[in-house]
Amino acid sequence: CVIRTRCCLCPRELVKEEVWGCKLCNPNWLSCKDCQNELRLSEYQELRQTVVQKFSVALAKEEEREVEEKGNAAGDDMRDPKVLAQEIDQALHDAFEDVKDYQRTKDSYMAQSRAILYNLKDVKNKTFRWKLLVGFWKPADTPKLNAEDMASDEKNAEREKQRNYAMLEIQSDWAIKN
């Protein structure tokens, strides 16, 4: 028995294999895969707009602080936060775009976006924001940045110290030296 019905969002006729529950309407109503993909795309676009807005706010706050501290001449070398935020978003989207797997694209995009946003908002990590604003890190580099690249110099020095200490502990005569 083949179930035939119409999509609740378009006039397309549906067959049993193509039937999905519609998120916009009643879950008992049905929509086709094309309509579902359009809904996902619009949801993803809204998500990207939110991320761009948060990036630009985080970058703009730092730019205001830098200009106040160093005068107007310091602001000339820095990039526009809104444009930079859009370029970072586009680079993230291009790097993680997987046409076949929407969920993996969204998850990868959001994970790296959260990491970047966390480091931009970190009060102790002024160097990462500065490096983005002056162009040391290009927007195309941001999808490949790991936590150590985004961390402050102090945090990286602390991690290096812990690694060296751990290497000393591994040595068999550590207990005798200490």
Side-chain angles (χ1 to χ4, degrees), residues 6 11 13 36-37 58 69 81-82 106 130 148 169 177:
R6 296 239 180 249
E13 186 176 314
Q36 286 290 327
N37 288 338
E69 290 174 5
K82 291 181 181 180
K106 181 180 167 189
W130 180 80
E148 205 164 297
E169 281 186 350
K177 288 181 181 178

Side-chain angles (χ1 to χ4, degrees), residues 20-34:
W20 293 15
C22 179
K23 292 181 181 179
L24 288 179
C25 311
N26 185 333
N28 297 329
W29 291 18
L30 304 174
S31 61
C32 62
K33 288 182 182 180
D34 292 338

Side-chain angles (χ1 to χ4, degrees), residues 20-164:
W20 293 15
C22 179
K23 292 181 181 179
L24 288 179
C25 311
N26 185 333
N28 297 329
W29 291 18
L30 304 174
S31 61
C32 62
K33 288 182 182 180
D34 292 338
C35 292
Q36 286 290 327
N37 288 338
E38 285 182 32
L39 290 173
R40 286 181 174 174
L41 182 61
S42 66
E43 175 188 311
Y44 182 62
Q45 293 301 327
E46 289 175 18
L47 181 77
R48 287 184 62 195
Q49 288 174 356
T50 303
V51 168
V52 168
Q53 183 180 18
K54 289 185 178 193
F55 280 164
S56 63
V57 166
L59 288 166
K61 285 181 183 177
E62 177 59 25
E63 183 183 54
E64 289 171 8
R65 283 189 226 131
E66 291 289 328
V67 171
E68 287 174 5
E69 290 174 5
K70 296 180 182 172
N72 290 336
D76 296 340
D77 295 339
M78 295 190 184
R79 302 188 61 195
D80 181 28
K82 291 181 181 180
V83 174
L84 182 60
Q86 290 172 345
E87 290 174 359
I88 291 171
D89 169 69
Q90 188 60 46
L92 289 170
H93 172 70
D94 292 344
F96 298 120
E97 185 177 25
D98 185 358
V99 179
K100 295 178 184 173
D101 191 355
Y102 163 78
Q103 193 61 41
R104 188 171 63 185
T105 298
K106 181 180 167 189
D107 292 346
S108 301
Y109 172 86
M110 284 307 297
Q112 188 67 3
S113 296
R114 281 187 198 107
I116 292 169
L117 192 59
Y118 174 81
N119 283 290
L120 285 174
K121 287 183 174 182
D122 187 6
V123 178
K124 297 178 184 176
N125 191 0
K126 294 181 180 181
T127 55
F128 179 62
R129 285 175 283 189
W130 180 80
K131 286 178 181 180
L132 281 172
L133 287 169
V134 299
F136 180 80
W137 291 117
K138 305 285 185 236
D141 297 336
T142 55
K144 298 173 227 149
L145 293 177
N146 58 27
E148 205 164 297
D149 293 334
M150 292 186 269
S152 65
D153 295 334
E154 295 83 26
K155 191 66 151 173
N156 283 334
E158 181 183 323
R159 287 178 182 162
E160 183 65 28
K161 183 179 174 184
Q162 289 175 349
R163 266 185 264 178
N164 289 339

